[in-house]
Amino acid sequence: MYISLIRTIILYAVVIFAVRVMGKRQIKEMQASEIVVTLMISNIAAVPMQEVGVSIFAGIVPIISLVVMEVAMSYFMLKNRKFREMISGFPVVVIEKGEVNQEAMQTLRLSNEDLFEELRKKDIFDISSVDYAIIETDGVLSVLQKNEYLPATAEQMNVADCKSGLNALIISDGCIDTHSAGLVGWSESKISEVLAEQKLTLDDVYIMSGNADGDFKIVKKVLQ
């Protein structure tokens, strides 16, 4: 039992390492080659976990080999456009000027229901408001709406002094996120100063977010 637990922990760590090396992507955003490698890694790791008689290296070696091949392929795809197009394909325009490209839909085997579902996920309910809709190589639908349906920008509204910028998580459940805080210029001393002004301690804070302008928002803990 203990041997199986140790093998599982080791293989879990190896798989996490492999996924980190390949990069951070959601399943829907993966290219075909990345999905294949991910599925193969999961299947390979499962065998040594379940079969104690199988050497743990029979799982680790193929996993590392797949990661190396995937990283090498990604690098080659970065340097060679033709190879990248052969592996990943091309973005396909499915809507142009409000008109659905039926030939492209058929080529992609994308149904009208699927297309409308993806549009609704982007809060678009009228296909005539779409200027262009493109299926990217990772399967994600990118949409550009017609100008008259786009929200007004600060520039168009002549709002010159509108504040903008990154708003980062500074404190999460009583712990300072030093990395995120550093992105917006918040030091631990500055955080302590703000908490003192608000008569709060770290343990009182559930969420604290802020930006480089010094603006912040605090959500106090309800459950201690």
Side-chain angles (χ1 to χ4, degrees):
M1 178 179 176
Y2 292 107
I3 294 176
S4 297
L5 178 61
I6 293 171
R7 289 161 68 93
T8 300
I9 293 172
I10 293 172
L11 286 165
Y12 175 77
V14 171
V15 172
I16 292 296
F17 170 77
V19 173
R20 286 295 304 272
V21 169
M22 288 191 298
K24 296 180 179 179
R25 291 200 190 203
Q26 298 178 1
I27 292 295
K28 190 175 180 181
E29 298 173 344
M30 286 184 174
Q31 302 288 350
S33 61
E34 294 170 327
I35 294 176
V36 169
V37 170
T38 302
L39 293 174
M40 291 179 69
I41 286 176
S42 63
N43 289 330
I44 290 170
V47 175
M49 284 184 189
Q50 298 171 350
E51 301 292 339
V52 180
V54 177
S55 172
I56 192 171
F57 291 103
I60 294 177
V61 173
I63 289 174
I64 298 301
S65 300
L66 284 170
V67 172
V68 171
M69 286 190 291
E70 171 59 27
V71 172
M73 180 178 287
S74 299
Y75 181 79
F76 192 55
M77 288 170 64
L78 184 65
K79 297 296 183 181
N80 191 305
R81 181 177 179 178
K82 290 184 178 180
F83 182 72
R84 180 171 66 250
E85 291 173 350
M86 181 180 68
I87 298 297
S88 300
F90 301 86
V92 179
V93 178
V94 291
I95 299 177
E96 184 174 357
K97 304 297 183 182
E99 297 293 331
V100 178
N101 186 333
Q102 298 181 30
E103 185 177 348
M105 294 278 289
Q106 188 173 11
T107 301
L108 294 171
R109 297 187 297 279
L110 182 69
S111 70
N112 294 329
E113 289 77 12
D114 291 336
L115 176 61
F116 272 74
E117 180 182 346
E118 292 300 318
L119 290 173
R120 288 195 297 271
K121 288 178 181 178
K122 297 181 180 296
D123 298 325
I124 298 172
F125 293 84
D126 185 359
I127 197 170
S128 63
S129 69
V130 178
D131 202 7
Y132 285 92
I134 302 171
I135 299 292
E136 305 293 353
T137 56
D138 57 6
V140 174
L141 181 71
S142 300
V143 179
L144 173 65
Q145 287 186 277
K146 294 178 180 177
N147 290 335
E148 58 266 32
Y149 293 95
L150 293 173
T153 64
E155 181 181 4
Q156 292 170 333
M157 298 175 67
N158 295 320
V159 182
D161 58 348
C162 181
K163 291 184 178 181
S164 63
L166 177 66
N167 195 287
L169 180 66
I170 296 173
I171 298 176
S172 176
D173 199 10
C175 296
I176 297 176
D177 189 329
T178 53
H179 176 71
S180 295
L183 293 176
V184 290
W186 282 71
S187 63
E188 292 192 24
S189 58
K190 182 177 179 179
I191 296 170
S192 299
E193 182 181 335
V194 169
L195 291 180
E197 291 175 355
Q198 301 295 317
K199 297 181 180 179
L200 296 170
T201 66
L202 278 174
D203 291 334
D204 297 324
V205 181
Y206 183 61
I207 293 174
M208 177 178 176
S209 59
N211 58 30
D213 296 325
D215 300 324
F216 63 90
K217 182 177 180 180
I218 294 177
V219 178
K220 297 179 183 178
K221 280 187 181 179
V222 176
L223 301 176
Q224 296 292 338

